[in-house]
Amino acid sequence: MHNISMRKIIRVCQAECYHFLCSGRLALVLAVWVFAYQFITVPLLRNAERMHASLLVIEPYIALINSNFMILIMPVLFLVLLSDFPRVDANAYFYLVRTGKTNWVLGQLLYGVVITAGYLLMQFAGMVIPVLAEGRWGTGWSPVITDFAREFPEYAQSAGAVSIQPQLYYHVPPWEAVLVGSALLAAYLYLLLLIKLLCFLLRAKTMGLLLCFFVIAFGTGLCTTFSQMRFLMPMGNSILGIHYSQYYMEMVYPLEYSVIYFAMLIGVFIIGIIGLRKRLGGQEHD
């Protein structure tokens, strides 16, 4: 650990970011934007038109990160975009020799942070930009979210009316929902990358990808049970809305527990990854 060089760590991160931006996989993000716009934004705008009210511009994004369906799509897309993480080809092995194993591993950890934040920023932009012309900025929930079901009971179960559940807007202000919800989702996505990196160092890269998909699938299954069991997996801990009770001013599951859950898992994985860095070298990985 005495050969750590911040300059080399940043260069590793920069090289990975450049490769990602040049890979052409960002087209998949555009496809998800179109789907999310039709699935979430259009129903909300339709409800806003019925009420003759303005939508808060961040509400489609809040609906995205709290949707039981889109919370399945977003991690899967993230894994597809980073299916080659960590990228080690023939040239990368020479690069590994120049930077050193510790700096390369720390560079990958930094890249994971940067790409996770960048991915969520892309999703935020993709949900906010389409409603800038018709929406508004503010600190309180719009009546499209809080009052629509009461004023239009015949549409109470429509996609737009249930996109943001009462347990969220009763307890959490919109910008807090954006920041806290994004942080929890970022921890979930970063944990998936750590699983891949750890399995790579254990020379089981393919197994790492399969394990990530298992974590997503099993977490999705537990979330459908509406029981405390859903908080055993990262997915349940990453959805802000399900932490709260719909009818009472109390939490179903304390938010602090989810923070501790992610902090402990991420910490354990990082320690394991740094401890296994010496396994890097001339041996092939599957």
Side-chain angles (χ1 to χ4, degrees):
M1 296 289 287
H2 60 280
N3 293 322
I4 293 177
S5 169
M6 197 64 203
R7 180 176 59 86
K8 292 181 179 180
I9 293 170
I10 293 174
R11 283 190 175 182
V12 171
C13 179
Q14 289 176 333
E16 296 299 329
C17 289
Y18 177 79
H19 178 268
F20 174 78
L21 292 174
C22 295
S23 65
R25 295 176 185 172
L26 290 178
L28 295 173
V29 177
L30 296 177
V32 172
W33 279 354
V34 173
F35 178 77
Y37 178 79
Q38 294 296 328
F39 184 73
I40 294 175
T41 307
V42 169
L44 286 172
L45 290 174
R46 189 179 299 121
N47 290 353
E49 184 178 358
R50 290 191 179 107
M51 293 190 71
H52 303 287
S54 297
L55 195 67
L56 196 66
V57 293
I58 59 175
E59 285 171 340
Y61 176 74
I62 297 172
L64 175 73
I65 62 176
N66 286 278
S67 167
N68 289 332
F69 178 69
M70 292 304 299
I71 201 67
L72 168 64
I73 300 297
M74 290 182 67
V76 170
L77 173 64
F78 187 66
L79 288 179
V80 171
L81 291 174
L82 297 168
S83 58
D84 60 348
F85 178 85
R87 182 179 59 91
V88 178
D89 51 24
N91 293 327
Y93 274 117
F94 292 105
Y95 190 62
L96 175 61
V97 172
R98 294 198 302 271
T99 60
K101 298 176 181 180
T102 301
N103 293 321
W104 184 87
V105 166
L106 294 177
Q108 296 298 325
L109 293 175
L110 177 60
Y111 169 63
V113 172
V114 171
I115 203 65
T116 300
Y119 177 73
L120 289 180
L121 283 174
M122 285 189 290
Q123 298 297 346
F124 181 81
M127 299 304 291
V128 168
I129 291 174
V131 298
L132 284 176
E134 303 175 54
R136 65 174 178 84
W137 294 96
T139 57
W141 295 101
S142 72
V144 180
I145 301 299
T146 59
D147 301 332
F148 181 82
R150 185 177 66 254
E151 294 188 16
F152 298 88
E154 66 274 21
Y155 298 110
Q157 296 303 314
S158 64
V162 300
S163 58
I164 298 179
Q165 294 294 325
Q167 59 262 40
L168 186 59
Y169 62 75
Y170 281 162
H171 297 86
V172 185
W175 283 102
E176 183 179 335
V178 169
L179 296 176
V180 177
S182 296
L184 292 175
L185 181 55
Y188 176 26
L189 298 176
Y190 190 61
L191 183 60
L192 294 176
L193 291 184
L194 293 182
I195 292 173
K196 291 195 65 182
L197 183 55
L198 182 66
C199 288
F200 171 80
L201 294 174
L202 293 172
R203 300 182 176 90
K205 187 175 183 179
T206 303
M207 183 59 66
L209 183 60
L210 294 176
L211 182 58
C212 286
F213 281 119
F214 171 78
V215 168
I216 295 172
F218 192 55
T220 303
L222 287 182
C223 282
T224 62
T225 65
F226 299 100
S227 68
Q228 294 294 90
M229 294 287 290
R230 56 189 168 176
F231 295 106
L232 292 175
M233 298 299 290
M235 178 173 286
N237 288 275
S238 70
I239 305 175
L240 178 61
I242 66 175
H243 286 74
Y244 296 92
S245 169
Q246 182 170 353
Y247 302 107
Y248 303 101
M249 294 296 293
E250 62 182 20
M251 283 189 168
V252 174
Y253 187 78
L255 195 59
E256 294 81 3
Y257 289 1
S258 291
V259 174
I260 295 172
Y261 174 91
F262 280 121
M264 290 183 61
L265 278 181
I266 289 174
V268 168
F269 272 91
I270 289 177
I271 291 172
I273 287 167
I274 293 175
L276 290 171
R277 71 190 185 281
K278 294 183 179 180
R279 295 175 69 95
L280 287 167
Q283 298 187 29
E284 295 294 328
H285 301 71
D286 70 342

